[in-house]
Amino acid sequence: MDALRAQDPPRIGDYVLLARIGAGGMGVVYLGRSPGGRLVAVKVVREEITGHPEALARFRREAATVRAVRSAYTANLIDAGLDAAPYWIATEYVAGPTLARAVRERGPFPVVTCRRLVAAMAEGLASVHAYGVTHRDLKPQNVLLGSQGPQLIDFGIARGVEQTALTQDGQAPGTPGFTAPEVLTRNEVGAAADVFALGATVAYAATGRAPFGGGDAAAVSYRAVHEEIDTAWVEPGLAALIRACVEKDPARRPGPAELIRWCAVDTALVDDPAYQPLVAMAEVVPDTPQRPPNAAVLAIHDLPTQGPPPSPPPPPSRPNPWLVAAGVGAVVGIAVATAVWLLPGNGNAGGKPDGPPGYIQDIGTSRHAWNGLRESCNLPGEEQPPLQFQYAVTTGENDPTGEIPPGKAEIGYRLKYEEPNLPPYYVSVEVKPPHLLDTDEFGYVSKAADLYEGDETQWKNLVYPDDFSDRAGGKVRPAPPLADDPGEWTVVYHHVTSDKNHRSVVCHGFTADTVSE
């Protein structure tokens, strides 16, 4: 929970706003208090969304869905303002962390807790499906661990089972790694797709790892369609349950009732000794509106307008024509940054940093190699990047704006949405020329920078070779120009806790041709 900002209104409708719960491409979610003292979660649409008919229709559909689905496993609708801007909905406030946060901060769940989680979530899905609604975006971020049990939230893309899966821009809904194969390949939406997402969500709870690995969104979706889910080191019985949920053929997946029988739980999840401490992670609710000192209070019509619309995803400052992703059944060129829809793992490269690191040093882990023909690296990252981490590279030869000189490359990274109140997360970028790819020799590195410093949704851009150097042996050697080594260059993003303590999180690359500078 974060303090209100200067541009946040003091109230919405009849609700006094106390704090920010979160923000995203659709809008901002506030903690509000009714005139009678009831706490609510108020989701307010960003002002510019009103110019996107599909986005506004999605928001209204969410309000209608939450109003219709009255379940013990969903936060019920309290109030709404849908006739004129600012558009908003108010739902019950559920005190408790998301499943994503709980696993990120406390680690994977015990086997027994996972079974109880499956049973509780299956019961929740059965309740939602009874209204003829499929959630379509079940994932760890959309499961709140409340004192009464898990709550399903964010019905922004939920629809009746008879409705098409595709959004207006032709992209399948949901989140890569949690979206079922039939949705990705045949646009089939049904209750079985929610069961697939449940299986992937529980796999994350059991392992702390992204269920279908890392990489760009299209690569993750490709694995969800064609490869097996990650259940390495999961207890065999629970692994079998997860694999049943994520069967490629939706007809072979168990229904919610069968899952409940399969789990055969004899104790409620809320009474599980591992679950109770998670509920206690709920943030302290302020009694009065929380604003920074001396912050001016703006009028209601001065709602926050910065932030991308939800569809299509926001591009970096310049398009990225070279970036190609392996799509389902095809190779598709992408002209924007590739979103990495990943869940954070347990690795933290040795814990929180004592202070800002400088330039990372070779610790014998530089084995990544990009192969543009396969659009992949030979090794995955050593740990998962933060949620909603995005990265992009634009070379001077492929920059339509002409702002990047030939022979140079702009390498950027950011978070797609805000993640307030998180400790520093330092990122250093390593660039390896083609002649180093067959060796373990370290590449040229940038100075580590805090991902969360400033506005983490803004691109942090580095220029190669200007911002990169070789620091081996205490000597500083400038990075060579791209023209000196044409071919496939590798870019590795590292999570850094000290100069000699870092782990790779994303490996990618780009092609550099011979150019005249």
Side-chain angles (χ1 to χ4, degrees):
M1 203 171 298
D2 204 5
L4 296 170
R5 299 182 182 179
Q7 68 266 32
D8 292 331
R11 62 169 57 240
I12 290 290
D14 293 331
Y15 303 94
V16 174
L17 302 186
L18 303 176
R20 277 183 168 224
I21 296 175
M26 179 70 79
V28 182
V29 182
Y30 299 100
L31 176 66
R33 186 181 61 228
S34 73
R38 183 176 189 175
L39 292 176
V40 295
V42 184
K43 179 184 285 190
V44 183
V45 170
R46 294 186 186 275
E47 186 175 323
E48 71 271 25
I49 292 298
T50 59
H52 295 264
E54 169 61 20
L56 191 55
R58 167 180 163 178
F59 185 74
R60 286 174 167 153
R61 186 166 65 244
E62 178 178 8
T65 300
V66 176
R67 179 181 286 114
V69 177
R70 310 292 292 184
S71 168
Y73 295 92
T74 62
N76 292 325
L77 185 74
I78 303 298
D79 200 357
L82 302 174
D83 295 330
Y87 300 96
W88 55 274
I89 59 175
T91 62
E92 293 176 306
Y93 172 67
V94 179
T98 65
L99 178 58
R101 178 188 162 207
V103 174
R104 178 175 69 239
E105 296 184 11
R106 300 294 177 88
F109 291 5
V111 173
V112 173
T113 307
C114 285
R115 288 184 177 276
R116 290 169 179 156
L117 178 66
V118 171
M121 291 177 60
E123 192 167 82
L125 284 182
S127 176
V128 171
H129 294 167
Y131 288 89
V133 171
T134 55
H135 188 285
R136 302 206 308 166
D137 199 20
L138 176 60
K139 57 186 176 183
Q141 302 95 305
N142 286 343
V143 178
L144 286 174
L145 304 181
S147 59
Q148 302 301 313
Q151 301 279 303
L152 303 178
I153 62 171
D154 198 350
F155 283 80
I157 59 175
R159 292 193 181 188
V161 295
E162 76 283 353
Q163 292 174 291
T164 179
L166 288 183
T167 57
Q168 186 183 44
D169 63 354
Q171 299 299 311
T175 300
F178 298 89
T179 303
E182 67 273 16
V183 178
L184 294 167
T185 61
R186 301 189 299 275
N187 305 325
E188 291 181 3
V189 174
D194 282 348
V195 171
F196 180 96
L198 185 154
T201 297
V202 174
Y204 169 71
T207 66
R209 301 187 297 270
F212 288 94
D216 59 60
V220 174
S221 293
Y222 180 87
R223 288 195 290 273
V225 173
H226 298 287
E227 299 179 11
E228 295 302 315
I229 195 169
D230 178 7
T231 55
W233 303 295
V234 176
E235 186 270 332
L238 178 60
L241 186 156
I242 291 170
R243 288 194 295 270
C245 289
V246 298
E247 281 276 0
K248 306 303 183 188
D249 181 357
R252 295 174 59 87
R253 295 175 205 148
E258 185 178 349
L259 284 174
I260 295 171
R261 291 193 297 270
W262 190 335
C263 293
V265 299
D266 56 3
T267 303
L269 179 62
V270 294
D271 296 324
D272 187 290
Y275 183 84
Q276 294 169 344
L278 302 179
V279 177
M281 293 171 63
E283 298 181 84
V284 177
V285 175
D287 295 325
T288 58
Q290 303 295 295
R291 292 185 184 273
N294 303 321
V297 178
L298 304 184
I300 289 181
H301 64 272
D302 294 320
L303 288 173
T305 58
Q306 289 189 345
S311 177
S317 57
R318 282 177 285 276
N320 183 14
W322 62 263
L323 191 57
V324 236
V328 179
V331 177
V332 182
I334 298 179
V336 296
T338 303
V340 184
W341 295 90
L342 298 178
L343 299 170
N346 295 320
N348 66 350
K352 298 179 181 178
D354 296 327
Y359 292 87
I360 60 176
Q361 299 180 30
D362 186 3
I363 55 175
T365 60
S366 184
R367 298 184 298 274
H368 296 282
W370 164 259
N371 186 322
L373 295 177
R374 293 195 305 271
E375 292 300 326
S376 64
C377 286
N378 63 338
L379 289 177
E382 297 169 288
E383 69 172 69
Q384 300 295 342
L387 185 67
Q388 311 286 8
F389 186 77
Q390 291 184 305
Y391 55 94
V393 179
T394 305
T395 63
E397 290 67 44
N398 292 318
D399 175 21
T401 69
E403 296 181 23
I404 304 176
K408 295 189 178 184
E410 185 178 79
I411 300 170
Y413 60 91
R414 71 163 187 173
L415 290 183
K416 179 178 174 65
Y417 299 139
E418 291 177 306
E419 291 282 351
N421 299 326
L422 292 180
Y425 185 99
Y426 291 99
V427 175
S428 178
V429 181
E430 175 194 2
V431 177
K432 296 182 68 172
H435 78 272
L436 296 182
L437 299 189
D438 294 330
T439 73
D440 290 343
E441 188 175 342
F442 210 51
Y444 300 88
V445 298
S446 68
K447 187 175 182 179
D450 183 8
L451 174 64
Y452 300 128
E453 185 177 8
D455 186 349
E456 64 265 39
T457 65
Q458 295 296 312
W459 287 92
K460 293 177 172 61
N461 291 317
L462 302 163
V463 175
Y464 183 91
D466 303 21
D467 299 321
F468 294 81
S469 58
D470 177 4
R471 300 264 164 168
K475 298 181 179 180
V476 179
R477 303 174 183 84
L482 298 179
D484 287 2
D485 205 348
E488 307 296 343
W489 288 61
T490 300
V491 178
V492 184
Y493 296 80
H494 294 266
H495 174 201
V496 185
T497 51
S498 73
D499 299 350
K500 293 186 177 180
N501 197 353
H502 49 84
R503 303 181 70 180
S504 63
V505 294
V506 171
C507 174
H508 212 65
F510 62 95
T511 301
D513 299 322
T514 302
V515 296
S516 58
E517 297 187 81

